[in-house]
Amino acid sequence: GDSQRFSARSVACARKRAAVMESQVHLADVTEMLLALLKGLTEIPSEVLSALHSILQQPLLQALDLVDRKSVTRLQSPSGRTAFQVVGSRKQVYTCLVANHNNYCPCAAYTFSVLKREAVMCKHVIACKIADAMSLYATQDVTDKELALALYPEAGQLDHDRFAIPTTV
């Protein structure tokens, strides 16, 4: 009776959740392809903008505002490692890693929406990807240690002799 109905409902919910997660993966693929079309352009074609907006919605508009305000800086270290810093709308600095599907941002939206697959990307990662594709960022040379500390500020409190960055890429 009730236990069968409950388990059938649980299975249905699990299938629906899996379908949503799978559709988010496909949306992430489509988003990455659309963003790749921006490489080297000086403005975003209206068709690409429309397609991106249909997937990303409000975070896209917020990201475009961040790019327009020149809020994105590319950090580059001598070993070739890079990260981006975005000055958010409340002047908070977010250090983001951006590489195809391997994105990271320390913001709450990333933690509570992107990781739960309720959103494809946060506005900071979107801003980094647009700025990177269209070369709309400032550049800052940093040491490998400075880059590591930007990504993981707590590392500054570790035993410095034991905290070393591997030199292989």
Side-chain angles (χ1 to χ4, degrees), residues 50-65:
S50 179
L52 284 170
H53 187 261
S54 70
I55 296 169
L56 301 171
Q57 299 172 359
Q58 189 64 26
L60 173 66
L61 304 178
Q62 296 165 331
L64 290 169
D65 184 54

Side-chain angles (χ1 to χ4, degrees), residues 12-118:
C13 286
R15 284 188 181 140
K16 185 176 180 183
R17 207 172 13 249
V20 167
M21 289 176 70
E22 188 176 327
S23 72
Q24 288 291 1
V25 171
H26 294 306
L27 288 176
D29 290 337
V30 172
T31 303
E32 294 288 352
M33 287 187 280
L34 289 166
L35 290 166
L37 295 173
L38 303 180
K39 203 74 166 161
L41 298 181
T42 55
E43 64 181 62
I44 303 174
S46 59
E47 306 83 18
V48 175
L49 188 60
S50 179
L52 284 170
H53 187 261
S54 70
I55 296 169
L56 301 171
Q57 299 172 359
Q58 189 64 26
L60 173 66
L61 304 178
Q62 296 165 331
L64 290 169
D65 184 54
L66 290 170
V67 173
D68 283 345
R69 290 191 285 123
K70 300 182 181 353
S71 299
V72 181
T73 301
R74 184 175 186 259
L75 306 178
Q76 54 190 32
S77 72
S79 65
R81 289 182 179 84
T82 61
F84 287 88
Q85 284 190 329
V86 180
V87 179
S89 48
R90 293 185 189 95
K91 304 299 177 215
Q92 168 110 15
V93 176
Y94 299 95
T95 303
C96 304
L97 289 173
V98 176
N100 290 326
H101 293 298
N102 301 317
N103 304 313
Y104 169 75
C105 181
C107 76
Y110 187 86
T111 302
F112 296 110
S113 295
V114 177
L115 291 179
K116 291 181 180 178
R117 303 210 187 226
E118 294 168 3

Side-chain angles (χ1 to χ4, degrees), residues 135-151:
S135 299
L136 297 172
Y137 52 81
T139 303
Q140 183 178 341
D141 292 318
V142 295
T143 66
D144 283 319
K145 187 172 184 176
E146 289 169 331
L147 184 61
L149 289 173
L151 289 165

